[in-house]
């Protein structure tokens, strides 16, 4: 009993110091594993979270990956309880909502749009499969809707032009931005990326819909067809 009490006191003392340090120095004053550790203290009681945080960071590599956890991560990892999983997932959803809000608040600037890139990198950059997203805009270049339309490698078999046209008409969009991710991390557009972009541009031109850009994102950055001079 006595040893357990001492352990509990040490753990709660350490937690208290970590919280105080965060309040004083902010997130910059914490190492990545300490950020995870601090979060874990809210779902893991009476256990030293420091080693758990370090082991989890080794497994998931980057702190941002914690906010993209999937159901299987929670069921396959003995350190991640359902409460922990929900906490991380909720934070991830809040971040995504905030980034989306930032994008929808103002007219979308087409060149050098930091907010848009941040949002796209966050929502698509970490995904393990290729996802083809379309942003539908009105005449003022305000975002009406964004939707993940196709999954899998971006080529003729995955991207169905009819589906895109259907959505454009449904949302009464005046212009669109195409986006997809490269899970490999490479940012150079593939041959099929260029072909499908050209094909969709011709199609949209006929409908008097502007294709403003096609953006490729990965965890490492982005490539814009517009900036790259391909569009």
């Amino acid at each position: 009993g006595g040893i357990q009490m001492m352990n509990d006191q040490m753990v709660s003392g350490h937690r208290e110091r970590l919280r105080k340090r965060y309040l004083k120095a902010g997130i910059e004053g914490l190492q990545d594993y300490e950020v995870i550790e601090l979060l874990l203290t809210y779902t893991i009681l009476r256990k030293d979270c420091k080693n758990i945080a370090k082991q989890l960071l080794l497994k998931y590599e980057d702190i941002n990956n914690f906010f993209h956890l999937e159901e299987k991560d929670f069921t396959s990892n003995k350190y991640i309880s359902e409460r922990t999983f929900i906490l991380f997932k909720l934070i991830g959803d809040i971040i995504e909502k905030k980034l989306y809000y930032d994008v929808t608040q103002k007219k979308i600037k087409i060149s050098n749009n930091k907010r848009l890139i941040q949002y796209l990198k966050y929502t698509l950059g970490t995904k393990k499969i290729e996802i083809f997203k379309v942003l539908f805009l009105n005449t003022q270049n305000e975002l009406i809707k964004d939707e993940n339309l196709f999954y899998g490698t971006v080529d003729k078999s995955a991207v169905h032009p009819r589906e895109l046209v259907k959505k454009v008409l449904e949302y009464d969009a005046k212009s669109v931005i195409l986006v997809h991710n490269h899970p490999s991390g490479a940012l150079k557009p593939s041959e099929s990326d260029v072909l499908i972009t050209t094909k969709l541009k011709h199609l949209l031109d006929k409908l008097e819909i502007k294709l403003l850009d096609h953006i490729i994102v990965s965890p490492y950055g982005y490539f814009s067809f517009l900036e790259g001079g391909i569009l």
Side-chain angles (χ1 to χ4, degrees), residues 78-90:
K78 63 175 183 201
Y79 296 125
I80 300 179
S81 67
E82 191 179 38
R83 287 176 64 163
T84 301
F85 170 67
I86 289 169
L87 178 68
F88 285 135
K89 191 171 162 44
L90 181 62

Side-chain angles (χ1 to χ4, degrees), residues 154-156 189-202 214 225 230:
V154 173
D155 59 18
K156 288 198 294 293
S190 68
E191 231 172 278
S192 64
D193 291 342
V194 176
L195 280 172
I196 202 81
T197 308
T198 314
K199 186 177 170 181
L200 293 175
K201 185 177 175 355
H202 285 316
H214 185 169
F225 277 59
I230 303 174

Side-chain angles (χ1 to χ4, degrees), residues 13 33 40 43 80 121 136 143 146-147 162 165 179 188 227 229:
Y33 82 85
L40 291 175
T43 57
I80 300 179
K121 265 175 69 180
F136 300 92
L143 187 61
D146 80 331
E147 210 166 307
R162 278 183 55 187
V165 171
V179 192
K188 203 172 178 295
E227 289 168 22

Side-chain angles (χ1 to χ4, degrees), residues 53-81:
K54 284 185 168 175
Q55 280 176 297
L56 286 173
L57 202 54
L58 267 176
K59 181 176 174 0
Y60 293 106
E61 292 169 355
D62 182 333
I63 191 164
N64 292 313
N65 292 335
F66 283 85
F67 309 116
H68 292 284
L69 290 182
E70 288 168 20
E71 202 86 34
K72 65 175 189 315
D73 296 305
F74 141 63
T75 47
S76 68
N77 198 305
K78 63 175 183 201
Y79 296 125
I80 300 179
S81 67

Side-chain angles (χ1 to χ4, degrees), residues 37-224:
E37 181 188 355
L38 185 53
L39 280 170
L40 291 175
T41 63
Y42 289 95
T43 57
I44 298 176
L45 307 171
R46 295 174 68 163
K47 244 197 218 136
D48 175 13
C49 294
K50 185 177 177 174
N51 284 333
I52 298 176
K54 284 185 168 175
Q55 280 176 297
L56 286 173
L57 202 54
L58 267 176
K59 181 176 174 0
Y60 293 106
E61 292 169 355
D62 182 333
I63 191 164
N64 292 313
N65 292 335
F66 283 85
F67 309 116
H68 292 284
L69 290 182
E70 288 168 20
E71 202 86 34
K72 65 175 189 315
D73 296 305
F74 141 63
T75 47
S76 68
N77 198 305
K78 63 175 183 201
Y79 296 125
I80 300 179
S81 67
E82 191 179 38
R83 287 176 64 163
T84 301
F85 170 67
I86 289 169
L87 178 68
F88 285 135
K89 191 171 162 44
L90 181 62
I91 292 168
D93 286 344
I94 291 168
I95 296 168
E96 189 166 320
K97 214 174 162 63
K98 164 80 174 84
L99 292 171
Y100 183 73
Y101 178 79
D102 287 348
V103 169
T104 52
Q105 278 320 89
K106 290 198 171 82
K107 231 163 113 158
I108 289 187
K109 288 209 306 285
I110 300 312
S111 58
N112 187 19
N113 191 335
K114 288 195 183 73
R115 281 178 175 182
L116 182 62
I117 298 300
Q118 260 184 328
Y119 168 65
L120 296 173
K121 265 175 69 180
Y122 188 81
T123 51
L124 288 186
T126 52
K127 296 284 189 277
K128 303 285 180 271
I129 57 160
E130 271 193 37
I131 296 172
F132 191 87
K133 186 192 267 295
V134 183
L135 308 180
F136 300 92
L137 301 114
N138 64 16
T139 33
Q140 276 80 49
N141 277 4
E142 291 159 341
L143 187 61
I144 303 168
K145 187 96 172 91
D146 80 331
E147 210 166 307
N148 296 343
L149 272 195
F150 310 110
Y151 297 85
T153 319
V154 173
D155 59 18
K156 288 198 294 293
S157 64
V159 177
H160 307 294
R162 278 183 55 187
E163 282 299 304
L164 176 61
V165 171
K166 218 166 85 182
K167 294 284 179 188
V168 165
L169 299 173
E170 186 186 327
Y171 299 130
D172 194 22
K174 295 294 174 269
S175 56
V176 296
I177 296 172
L178 310 175
V179 192
H180 79 280
N181 60 317
H182 279 179
S184 65
L187 284 168
K188 203 172 178 295
S190 68
E191 231 172 278
S192 64
D193 291 342
V194 176
L195 280 172
I196 202 81
T197 308
T198 314
K199 186 177 170 181
L200 293 175
K201 185 177 175 355
H202 285 316
L203 180 68
L204 292 164
D205 279 349
K206 282 184 184 142
L207 298 167
E208 294 180 5
I209 307 291
K210 272 199 202 110
L211 174 56
L212 298 174
D213 203 350
H214 185 169
I215 299 167
I216 298 170
V217 287
S218 88
Y220 310 110
Y222 78 99
F223 175 88
S224 152

